[in-house]
Amino acid sequence: EPEVTQTPSHQVTQMGQEVILRCVPISNHLYFYWYRQILGQKVEFLVSFYNNEISEKSEIFDDQFSVERPDGSNFTLKIRSTKLEDSAMYFCASSEMLNTGELFFGEGSRLTVL
Amino acid sequence: GQQVMQIPQYQHVQEGEDFTTYCNSSTTLSNIQWYKQRPGGHPVFLIQLVKSGEVKKQKRLTFQFGEAKKNSSLHITATQTTDVGTYFCAGLLNTGNQFYFGTGTSLTVIP
């Protein structure tokens, strides 16, 4: 069964450092997303991406965040200068359709900022 | 801002008992999805409801979308230990393109 894969599974970084989280969405999906989940809390939308551009972003997704699809398979989330409050599980998701499509989530990348 | 709340936040049940989680939105939703997240896992899609008043069943799980499309519920009959996890609703606004996840209900099933 096709799946969304994410790397790394866990990253520990110092405050102020740049972090790149990588995702390989399901190959025939067109819509890509990043969500985050602070431990024990709800899943929060960060950004959606379609046709090589951001289609929607939340207020959490400020100038410190960026997304990119550098090639035909990878979808990355970059945090330029990490803060303590960026510590969370970051989930990548993809869907075949917008608005009515099932979101397929990856296993997540746990980011710990010290 | 958009709020999607779920109650209860936590629920402990004896195996075999029923369980219900309720999802309430501050605004009308276009459709609603339900996800299950096992402890330490990622959200996994369960179902999508689109029509006002829609009811769908998956074995022991019954999903309902309110008439006003502002609330939804998930009911599990005769819980099993495999039902353990956090259940999230995710609502899509009429005017939006992204799903707002609810606060989740964490279910513990005591064998």
Side-chain angles (χ1 to χ4, degrees), chain B:
Chain B
Q2 170 63 17
Q3 294 272 357
V4 181
M5 305 297 293
Q6 283 181 252
I7 54 170
Q9 188 176 0
Y10 303 97
Q11 183 86 58
H12 291 69
V13 299
Q14 288 288 143
E15 188 173 16
E17 290 182 339
D18 293 356
F19 159 77
T20 305
T21 172
Y22 300 91
C23 175
N24 295 289
S25 169
S26 55
T27 55
T28 304
L29 301 171
S30 174
N31 60 41
I32 196 159
Q33 297 179 343
W34 283 90
Y35 290 82
K36 177 183 178 181
Q37 184 178 28
R38 293 184 186 275
H42 58 281
V44 175
F45 176 82
L46 293 176
I47 208 156
Q48 177 168 269
L49 305 169
V50 178
K51 298 176 185 175
S52 168
E54 188 171 11
V55 178
K56 285 188 177 181
K57 294 192 175 187
Q58 285 179 351
K59 298 181 181 178
R60 295 179 294 105
L61 277 61
T62 302
F63 303 84
Q64 188 168 10
F65 201 5
E67 293 291 340
K69 301 184 78 173
K70 293 179 74 172
N71 57 70
S72 181
S73 65
L74 157 60
H75 179 82
I76 302 178
T77 304
T79 53
Q80 300 174 358
T81 54
T82 52
D83 296 327
V84 164
T86 300
Y87 292 85
F88 291 98
C89 61
L92 180 70
L93 296 182
N94 282 331
T95 55
N97 290 316
Q98 54 113 337
F99 284 89
Y100 289 91
F101 276 70
T103 47
T105 296
S106 175
L107 172 64
T108 300
V109 179
I110 304 163

Side-chain angles (χ1 to χ4, degrees), chain A:
Chain A
E1 185 176 321
E3 59 181 17
V4 176
T5 57
Q6 289 186 241
T7 54
S9 57
H10 191 192
Q11 174 129 18
V12 181
T13 190
Q14 294 289 327
M15 190 169 57
Q17 295 295 305
E18 176 182 284
V19 161
I20 297 176
L21 306 178
R22 292 181 168 80
C23 169
V24 179
I26 294 173
S27 60
N28 65 330
H29 286 186
L30 301 176
Y31 303 91
F32 315 123
Y33 313 83
W34 283 100
Y35 286 82
R36 80 171 185 191
Q37 186 177 35
I38 294 169
L39 187 63
Q41 297 187 25
K42 69 177 180 180
V43 179
E44 298 176 293
F45 171 78
L46 293 178
V47 66
S48 59
F49 192 87
Y50 169 70
N51 200 26
N52 282 320
E53 61 183 23
I54 291 173
S55 52
E56 196 161 344
K57 60 183 181 179
S58 72
E59 57 194 25
I60 302 170
F61 194 89
D62 60 22
D63 291 344
Q64 293 297 314
F65 291 89
S66 63
V67 288
E68 195 177 30
R69 187 154 163 84
D71 53 46
S73 60
N74 289 286
F75 178 50
T76 62
L77 174 69
K78 181 192 289 186
I79 310 174
R80 287 190 185 79
S81 178
T82 50
K83 303 186 285 283
L84 295 176
E85 54 265 37
D86 293 328
S87 294
M89 181 71 89
Y90 287 81
F91 290 107
C92 174
S94 68
S95 66
E96 203 171 354
M97 295 177 289
L98 185 65
N99 295 350
T100 59
E102 169 186 347
L103 294 175
F104 288 81
F105 283 84
E107 302 268 341
S109 293
R110 178 166 296 285
L111 176 64
T112 302
V113 182
L114 303 176

